[in-house]
Amino acid sequence: MQPTEQNREQWGSKLGFILAAAGSAVGLGNIWAFPYVVGSNGGAAFIVVYLLCVAIIGLPVLLAEILLGRTAQRNPVGTFKALSNSKGWHVVGGMGVVAGFVILSFYAVVAGWALGYIFEAIRGVFFDFQTPQDAINHFNSLTGDPVWILGMLLFFMILTMVIVVSGVQKGIEKGSKIMMPLLFILLIGVMIRGVTLEGSSAGLSFLFNPDWSKISGTTVLVALGQAFFTLSLGMGAMMTYGSYMSKKDNVVTSTFQIVTIDTSIALIAGTAIFTAVFAIGLNPSEGVGLIFHTLPIVFSKMTGGYIIAVVFFTLLFIAALTSAISLMEVVTAYFVDEKKWKRKKAVYLLGSLAILAGVPSALSFNWLSEFLIFGMNFFDLMFYITFNIMLPLGGFLIAIFVAWVWGLDKAVVELKKGAEAIFENTPWQISLWKIFLKYFSSVLIFLVLLNSLGLLDPLINLFF
Ligand code: TRP
């Protein structure tokens, strides 16, 4: 049966929604990017700035996105159609659906490496490494092999499709309810191993020693970008998940809970990784280098490292999978709601197309590595266009839409449903949200966008 307004699926429980949304937010960004960004930008000082950015743009925009979806009970395109009188706004939703598809295509490539590294860890390959260069060579030989990289992409995408095709309750919610607690337990396990290693305190001071001298305009921009990215904002992922929420549920508390889970996991991941890296006496590096070059050596040198390696790559894979399903769901919801496709057709057809679209990204690490567009390989170009341009642009327009077009008066009426107690007991929270969304969020996201486009510095020079 085709879903109609009346029988569209909803989350089975509040917890199910929170865990699914947290699953979208907690991804490669938390484990891959956040720890290094903190360590190299002033540690605890950066965390303070980051938390302010979360408060000023993360929370308000997350709340706005979830609220838009819950109000319209539709995918991003349908949401804008339902809530605006003028035609143009649904293009913002359309941009989100396109971004979701493109991000899925290359996110799945890296997620595939995490999956592949579970097998490497199980085979015990890391114990053969003598020097860091051995780990690099191994990584290069795997990603340099089109069969391995495409195989893992395919494998990962099939898992994503199997979950999404099973539906909101039986697929996404059930999967999140199993995977998110598991991710948390595994991560705590790795952290305990990390902090109990001799010499782990150097890692703690890398992360948590405040160095205020490192805080500058640039670090603030980094913190803003990270706050935005880590919460999966700007493309309607949270809007789509919000659209399966009931009007009886509390959007305000849910938003706080999602942000708390996301931030805690990022901090625990940082602690787990850097205590181990420093205890083993290696230098922290970023991104690919940290996860796939440094950590395998770290694991091979510590007691219990075999198990910890398997556990770590499993949790990295789970983090990526729960994010990928939210990307797939945005695209699926659009075709199911707007084009009246069956969920099965949407998932299998678009999932297959996403795999095809992922091929040039995967081959950017081998056959197509010399093929550059604007000086970037295909993977980097897709990354740049979506994360640095489409998402900030989408987030900026979403904030403008709620604050100025749909209007805060209507928004507040919707927000109150399920959150009556907050309106009664702590109404200042709602007032703060309105002020932030109206005057700060959009301006700050716009700065992030200008900066990605390389326009911020010239503008500053022009005026100051
Ligand atoms: N939040 C994800 C992470 O930390 C990345 C991400 C950004 C994302 N935007 C998204 C994931 C949209 C799913 C949907 O890795």
Side-chain angles (χ1 to χ4, degrees):
M1 202 167 55
Q2 287 302 323
T4 61
E5 306 266 347
Q6 288 76 35
N7 67 10
R8 199 166 177 270
E9 258 200 285
Q10 287 201 333
W11 303 108
S13 65
K14 241 187 291 184
L15 181 70
F17 164 69
I18 306 281
L19 292 181
S24 172
V26 174
L28 296 171
N30 296 60
I31 296 164
W32 180 294
F34 183 79
Y36 185 79
V37 165
V38 171
S40 52
N41 283 290
F46 178 86
I47 295 175
V48 173
V49 176
Y50 170 78
L51 292 177
L52 284 175
C53 293
V54 167
I56 299 171
I57 73 169
L59 273 169
V61 179
L62 178 59
L63 187 73
E65 270 207 31
I66 297 175
L67 182 66
L68 282 174
R70 191 190 63 165
T71 304
Q73 304 274 306
R74 276 278 165 283
N75 67 92
V77 175
T79 296
F80 280 102
K81 272 192 196 155
L83 302 182
S84 81
N85 303 322
S86 64
K87 280 242 153 130
W89 279 98
H90 69 262
V91 175
V92 180
M95 187 170 76
V97 175
V98 173
F101 177 83
V102 176
I103 295 173
L104 179 63
S105 75
F106 68 81
Y107 200 81
V109 173
V110 180
W113 302 346
L115 179 57
Y117 262 68
I118 301 177
F119 303 120
E120 299 303 296
I122 291 173
R123 285 171 50 210
V125 176
F126 307 151
F127 292 91
D128 300 337
F129 301 160
Q130 304 300 328
T131 64
Q133 191 56 42
D134 292 338
I136 296 176
N137 293 344
H138 187 70
F139 175 77
N140 289 343
S141 79
L142 288 174
T143 53
D145 175 5
V147 176
W148 186 83
I149 207 168
L150 291 174
M152 289 303 154
L153 165 66
L154 187 67
F155 192 2
F156 180 83
M157 279 299 302
I158 290 174
L159 294 173
T160 306
M161 291 193 282
V162 165
I163 295 174
V164 179
V165 86
S166 309
V168 176
Q169 273 195 24
K170 292 210 182 89
I172 301 174
E173 180 168 357
K174 202 167 149 206
S176 305
K177 274 181 156 172
I178 299 169
M179 289 191 284
M180 292 307 288
L182 182 61
L183 169 104
F184 193 73
I185 294 168
L186 296 179
L187 188 58
I188 295 286
V190 182
M191 185 192 77
I192 291 175
R193 176 69 281 219
V195 293
T196 51
L197 287 166
E198 206 179 315
S200 63
S201 56
L204 292 176
S205 80
F206 177 73
L207 267 183
F208 297 115
N209 220 354
D211 179 356
W212 295 100
S213 69
K214 287 225 175 115
I215 300 301
S216 65
T218 319
T219 38
V220 175
L221 279 170
V222 171
L224 281 170
Q226 179 69 21
F228 188 79
F229 173 82
T230 189
L231 293 172
S232 304
L233 299 175
M235 52 149 283
M238 292 300 185
M239 206 183 288
T240 306
Y241 275 8
S243 77
Y244 302 121
M245 242 179 141
S246 132
K247 304 245 167 169
K248 292 193 211 85
D249 289 337
N250 187 330
V251 176
V252 184
T253 347
S254 309
T255 304
F256 275 103
Q257 287 164 339
I258 296 163
V259 169
T260 307
I261 298 177
D262 183 75
T263 307
S264 319
I265 293 205
L267 289 170
I268 300 172
T271 307
I273 292 173
F274 288 123
T275 46
V277 169
F278 280 88
I280 299 299
L282 289 175
N283 283 326
S285 55
E286 73 181 299
V288 176
L290 175 64
I291 304 284
F292 294 103
H293 300 168
T294 310
L295 287 183
I297 299 266
V298 170
F299 295 143
S300 77
K301 294 218 161 115
M302 66 198 203
T303 326
Y306 178 85
I307 291 291
I308 296 292
V310 177
V311 164
F312 178 81
F313 286 105
T314 306
L315 76 87
L316 185 67
F317 157 72
I318 293 176
L321 183 59
T322 50
S323 296
I325 59 182
S326 77
L327 292 163
M328 179 89 242
E329 181 59 26
V330 173
V331 185
T332 305
Y334 169 74
F335 282 91
V336 170
D337 290 346
E338 303 297 311
K339 306 287 171 204
K340 306 292 174 221
W341 286 16
K342 291 232 164 35
R343 173 171 282 272
K344 231 188 193 157
K345 172 177 164 192
V347 171
Y348 288 132
L349 188 63
L350 294 152
S352 307
L353 290 174
I355 295 171
L356 287 180
V359 169
S361 288
L363 297 183
S364 299
F365 297 89
N366 38 69
W367 287 344
L368 296 180
S369 60
E370 311 280 303
F371 176 69
L372 303 183
I373 313 157
F374 303 119
M376 287 179 262
N377 67 31
F378 190 81
F379 179 97
D380 292 340
L381 184 69
M382 292 301 112
F383 189 98
Y384 184 80
I385 292 176
T386 51
F387 283 133
N388 291 0
I389 298 174
M390 290 172 92
L391 297 198
L393 182 61
F396 169 71
L397 293 170
I398 288 168
I400 297 278
F401 181 79
V402 174
W404 303 96
V405 180
W406 185 37
L408 289 171
D409 292 342
K410 283 188 201 149
V412 164
V413 172
E414 283 296 327
L415 191 60
K416 201 165 182 179
K417 296 177 185 163
E420 290 83 2
I422 292 181
F423 276 76
E424 222 158 86
N425 304 329
T426 47
W428 57 268
Q429 290 191 17
I430 310 295
S431 313
L432 262 188
W433 175 68
K434 294 204 273 187
I435 294 171
F436 280 173
L437 198 68
K438 207 158 177 180
Y439 301 108
F440 297 106
S441 308
S442 47
V443 177
L444 292 173
I445 302 173
F446 194 64
L447 291 183
V448 172
L449 180 65
L450 283 181
N451 188 49
S452 310
L453 292 171
L455 296 174
L456 191 58
D457 285 337
L459 275 178
I460 290 175
N461 293 337
L462 198 63
F463 288 104
F464 299 99

